Amino acid sequence: MQSLVSVDQLEVHFAVRTGFMQSMFGKETPVVRAVDGVSFELGKGEILCLAGESGSGKTTTGKAILRLVEPTGGKVLYEGEDVRSYNRLRLRAFRQEAQIIFQDPYESLNPRQTVFSTVAEPLEVNNLCRSLAEKEERVAQALVDAGLHNPRELFLRYPHELSGGQRQRLAIAGALVLDPKFIVADEPVSMLDLSIRAGILKLMVDLRDKKGIGYLFITHDLSLAWLVSDRIAIMYLGKIVELGSADKVIKEPLHPYTRALVSVIPTPRRKVITQQSLLKGETPDPVNVPAGCRFHPRCPEAKPRCREAVPLYREVRPGHFAACHLLDS
Ligand SMILES: Nc1ncnc2c1ncn2[C@@H]1O[C@H](COP(=O)(O)OP(=O)(O)O)[C@@H](O)[C@H]1O
Ligand SMILES: [Mg+2]
């Protein structure tokens, strides 16, 4: 598969603001290791899912790839080119080709902008239309591509007049109008009713099939990841602990953390299991990352070695990567 995005040892550390007294006494500034050495490849037209609990660094990874937050280390290649080497013009083109869709369409949409101006704005900012007729045509097409019918009847509506699902489709239309090749979809259906989730997910998969768009699909819900993605990467405290084909990761998970996540996926026979029953221990804190394997304080299978040495992230089986000492023996 041709590479679309290649991420190499990406790192985003945030300095936590501390009080005057603390800096007076020369205490070290604490650092949030939001993303702490993440590497993966995303192919053209591939759907790669980044899954893991809240706070594991998924959103920050997505934003750092798009340069919406500045990485503190590592490299991001887009179609083989280092995104940090971009000049202004190339960065502008990259910002058109690479889009982000957020969880909450209420937040990402301006309530005072009509449907038309919401979708037309990126065209205007980038000076992409020669006439009003052309602009209207492109806006209408983007709305149709996002699954909104009778687009011209929606032109003068406001976001609050739309349903939740329609609003998320509007946000998707705003991304599609620039003809992207890469979309970071950050929990795109988490705020939506169960009944309309499937439609939005199907739309995203269809767009991949029709337009060859590659996705980094971010979710805390592994059952969604299984449904839509080609491959799944599992993140824990700023690191990828496992990556492989969706089927292998769900059916033959290698890492104890993945096994814990998989075991709470509802199945027809086993509808609800509380998360707490499986993942014990303190909630992970990216300021105080545990030594050794960072999952060891919560790992049901931890051995003494797991407290001491950082496990190597390696290809355990063809195309299936994981970082766990238990796989070494
Ligand atoms: N701008 C920021 N400043 C400081 N800490 C941040 C910032 N953004 C995110 N974080 C912290 O980084 C960690 C990862 O956050 P995030 O990427 O949002 O995780 P996820 O999307 O997996 O829930 C969290 O502990 C979060 O509080
Ligand atoms: Mg997030």
Side-chain angles (χ1 to χ4, degrees):
M1 194 183 297
Q2 253 185 314
S3 169
L4 180 62
V5 178
S6 166
V7 178
D8 183 23
Q9 289 301 320
L10 186 67
E11 185 191 283
V12 184
H13 290 177
F14 296 107
V16 184
R17 232 195 288 207
T18 48
F20 170 72
M21 289 302 274
Q22 211 167 355
S23 47
M24 268 292 280
F25 292 105
K27 283 203 179 149
E28 261 182 63
T29 320
V31 168
V32 182
R33 299 164 169 275
V35 180
D36 208 16
V38 160
S39 306
F40 63 85
E41 292 269 340
L42 174 75
K44 289 195 171 147
E46 185 186 20
I47 303 180
L48 175 70
C49 194
L50 210 51
E53 290 165 294
S54 163
S56 55
K58 306 180 298 295
T59 296
T60 308
T61 301
K63 286 185 172 172
I65 292 170
L66 299 182
R67 290 187 54 180
L68 299 173
V69 299
E70 247 351 274
T72 47
K75 230 192 233 173
V76 176
L77 304 184
Y78 177 72
E79 295 189 314
E81 261 185 295
D82 189 337
V83 299
R84 266 180 322 185
S85 71
Y86 285 166
N87 59 23
R88 262 186 50 218
L89 212 63
R90 184 66 191 91
L91 185 60
R92 217 173 144 144
F94 175 64
R95 291 254 152 90
Q96 293 175 29
E97 287 173 28
Q99 295 285 321
I100 186 163
I101 296 167
F102 292 105
Q103 171 176 12
D104 187 355
Y106 285 90
E107 261 177 47
S108 52
L109 296 172
N110 180 344
R112 281 182 290 276
Q113 263 187 334
T114 60
V115 166
F116 179 77
S117 65
T118 300
V119 183
E121 188 177 72
L123 293 173
E124 286 158 3
V125 170
N126 292 290
N127 235 332
L128 292 175
C129 291
R130 267 152 296 163
S131 67
L132 180 62
E134 185 188 347
K135 200 194 299 180
E136 288 182 351
E137 187 45 43
R138 284 190 69 167
V139 170
Q141 188 58 51
L143 292 169
V144 169
D145 287 346
L148 291 163
H149 307 297
N150 303 325
R152 285 173 196 264
E153 283 169 29
L154 295 174
F155 274 6
L156 296 179
R157 301 270 191 89
Y158 287 89
H160 72 264
E161 300 175 74
L162 306 177
S163 70
Q166 284 179 319
R167 262 194 299 268
Q168 191 57 298
R169 287 179 191 272
L170 173 59
I172 293 172
L176 288 180
V177 75
L178 292 173
D179 221 359
K181 292 185 193 168
F182 173 46
I183 293 180
V184 174
D186 190 357
E187 310 260 12
V189 298
S190 307
M191 300 280 288
L192 302 177
D193 288 345
L194 224 50
S195 57
I196 48 180
R197 281 186 184 184
I200 301 282
L201 294 173
K202 182 171 181 313
L203 169 70
M204 299 204 336
V205 176
D206 285 348
L207 287 168
R208 182 275 296 276
D209 295 343
K210 276 192 220 136
K211 296 174 184 275
I213 298 171
Y215 289 93
L216 185 65
F217 184 94
I218 294 173
T219 180
H220 65 278
D221 182 342
L222 209 49
S223 51
L224 277 191
W226 191 14
L227 209 60
V228 300
S229 58
D230 302 308
R231 291 188 302 150
I232 297 176
I234 305 286
M235 240 179 130
Y236 187 80
L237 262 186
K239 269 198 185 306
I240 291 179
V241 296
E242 177 159 1
L243 186 156
S245 74
D247 236 34
K248 291 281 181 209
V249 169
I250 301 292
K251 291 183 182 154
E252 296 165 35
L254 295 171
H255 198 283
Y257 179 57
T258 313
R259 281 200 284 277
L261 294 179
V262 168
S263 68
V264 296
I265 293 179
T267 66
R269 245 181 286 166
R270 182 191 58 198
K271 279 225 164 55
V272 195
I273 295 183
T274 54
Q275 188 103 4
Q276 290 87 325
S277 68
L278 269 136
L279 282 170
K280 297 201 187 74
E282 67 256 55
T283 41
D285 171 12
V287 176
N288 297 301
V289 173
C293 171
R294 51 191 71 194
F295 183 58
H296 87 254
R298 297 168 83 195
C299 183
E301 300 166 50
K303 302 272 181 294
R305 178 166 170 67
C306 304
R307 260 167 252 143
E308 288 146 20
V310 176
L312 191 67
Y313 178 73
R314 64 184 179 89
E315 191 165 12
V316 179
R317 292 179 197 151
H320 197 164
F321 299 78
C324 176
H325 289 305
L326 301 163
L327 297 164
D328 293 342
S329 47

